[in-house]
Amino acid sequence: MTGGLPLSPAVFAILAGLIEQELGIHFAAEDRDLLATKISPRCIDRGFDSLLDYYYFLRYDAGAMLELERLADALVVNETYIGRELDQLSVLVGVLLPELLATRPRARIWSAACSTGEEPLTLAGLLDDRGLLSRVELIASDVSERVLNLAKEGCFSGRALRALPPAAERWLRFDGATARARRDLLDRVSFQRLNLTDPEAVRRIGKVDVVVCRNVLIYFRDSTIKSVVQSLSDALNPGGYLLVGASESLLRFGGALSCEEHGGAFFYRKDPT
Ligand SMILES: C[S@@+](CC[C@H](N)C(=O)[O-])C[C@H]1O[C@@H](n2cnc3c(N)ncnc32)[C@H](O)[C@@H]1O
């Protein structure tokens, strides 16, 4: 569908407000046509021909939470690939993590918007290559159940494989144009559904040493980023690191984490004391 169903400024305001409240994803007034285009196919699929009726469904129906999850798929690009922004992960696993593990027997790493699983697989592969996998608990979460189900399957093709680092030969088993994650690597990752804008859900994860939260904050407005970063900082153990995407600097927010550069990549660190 091109264009989408009509979306008046008044309905846009309540619909965009509900989406931001529930998912954190921000649409500014000038994005009205974009939102209409993205949301209309789901609205029609659910049997509605008006976005106001769809809003009432999202707001008041018992199945609204499930529909909001599905909507997240339509609103956010799930784009990811094995080895994405690899330098940052390599420095984490090759330099920063061994330093942390010198002070504690085990560490917990959380890939907090893991999409279809390429990021946690990359982490598991890098950790295995360094002989560190058995000392790390890997958690991976996303707001969308659909992408999590794909992540758990560990079957990759097409764009997911477009920038494979040479080391990925060890992490994957190839069958024509498809690659399957090694079962022992995948089994080390525990997947769960989690909405990052829900501070209570973040608290339930418990304390972690590293949060990898890349290429999702771009969908949130500044006030949402601030509160998400606050709950992620609270989840970090002293000396722990928060990793964001290359285009997602947190410097303008100040806050409790200090920005450090290691090997050309940026990391936000919680005070070790
Ligand atoms: C572009 S992907 C990023 C994947 C991976 N971190 C990377 O950098 O390649 C963004 C992911 O954020 C997820 N997402 C969007 N809003 C979210 C929220 N409120 N809580 C948790 N995940 C969310 C989407 O479902 C999507 O899978």
Side-chain angles (χ1 to χ4, degrees), residues 1-19 31-60 67 71 74-75:
M1 156 179 282
T2 52
L5 295 165
L7 181 58
S8 69
V11 177
F12 168 78
I14 53 175
L15 202 44
L18 179 65
I19 289 168
D31 299 328
R32 181 153 57 101
D33 289 344
L34 177 71
L35 181 63
T37 307
K38 290 191 163 199
I39 211 172
S40 292
R42 277 235 54 87
C43 169
I44 292 164
D45 270 8
R46 295 304 313 219
F48 302 106
D49 57 10
S50 121
L51 288 171
L52 180 59
D53 289 346
Y54 186 54
Y55 164 78
Y56 284 129
F57 170 70
L58 288 172
R59 185 96 178 74
Y60 299 113
E67 181 61 18
L71 201 53
L75 298 177

Side-chain angles (χ1 to χ4, degrees), residues 22-25 72-73 76-81 84-85 111-116 119 141-144 147 194-197 213-216 219-220:
E22 297 297 333
L23 300 171
I25 302 166
D73 282 331
V76 178
V77 181
N78 297 118
E79 168 77 1
T80 181
Y81 50 90
R84 185 177 194 177
E85 297 174 29
S111 166
C114 69
S115 188
T116 37
E119 185 175 89
S141 65
D142 199 282
V143 75
S144 158
V147 293
L194 184 143
N195 184 348
L196 283 168
T197 63
C213 182
R214 307 194 306 173
N215 303 303
V216 58
Y219 297 103
F220 302 160

